């Protein structure tokens, strides 16, 4: 199961996620959509990689997402908010 999850995540730009984004943005260039998905997956991975449980849990979540945001600064603030909430949910 973990192997399938890893494969699906590494190839999200080739799977159903591409179709979802394409339907939401039908005029967008296919390569731009693929690159956006790849960048989003890398951002999520960076947030998870930066998470270190050494203090208050929420402070650790905020710090991890801030470090990932420094690497990927082009997202909306709402994306970073959602990333903090998702990271907190998955790391609890």
């Amino acid at each position: 199961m973990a192997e399938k999850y890893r494969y699906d995540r590494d190839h999200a730009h080739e799977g159903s996620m591409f179709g979802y984004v394409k339907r939401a943005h039908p005029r967008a260039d296919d390569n731009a959509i693929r690159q956006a998905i790849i960048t989003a997956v890398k951002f999520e991975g960076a947030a998870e990689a930066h998470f270190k449980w050494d203090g208050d849990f929420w402070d650790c979540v905020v710090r991890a997402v801030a470090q990932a945001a420094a690497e990927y600064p082009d997202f909306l603030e709402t994306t970073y908010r959602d990333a903090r909430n998702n990271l907190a949910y998955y790391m609890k």
Side-chain angles (χ1 to χ4, degrees):
M1 194 63 173
E3 191 173 312
K4 181 184 178 340
Y5 172 77
R6 205 172 3 262
Y7 179 86
D8 289 347
R9 181 180 169 141
D10 291 344
H11 297 89
H13 61 286
E14 299 168 351
S16 58
M17 184 55 64
F18 174 81
Y20 300 145
V21 177
K22 184 65 176 177
R23 281 192 294 280
H25 303 280
R27 292 186 197 99
D29 179 64
D30 289 358
N31 288 330
I33 291 172
R34 286 186 183 91
Q35 189 57 49
I37 293 168
I38 290 167
T39 303
V41 169
K42 287 181 179 181
F43 167 69
E44 181 185 39
E48 292 174 3
H50 287 298
F51 181 82
K52 304 286 185 269
W53 200 318
D54 58 352
D56 179 72
F57 177 72
W58 185 248
D59 290 341
C60 296
V61 168
V62 170
R63 183 175 49 247
V65 173
Q67 289 171 327
E71 295 175 39
Y72 298 93
D74 297 327
F75 289 104
L76 298 173
E77 183 53 40
T78 54
T79 301
Y80 299 127
R81 181 203 61 210
D82 292 345
R84 288 188 293 269
N85 292 334
N86 289 337
L87 187 62
Y89 177 79
Y90 289 116
M91 294 301 183
K92 67 178 181 175

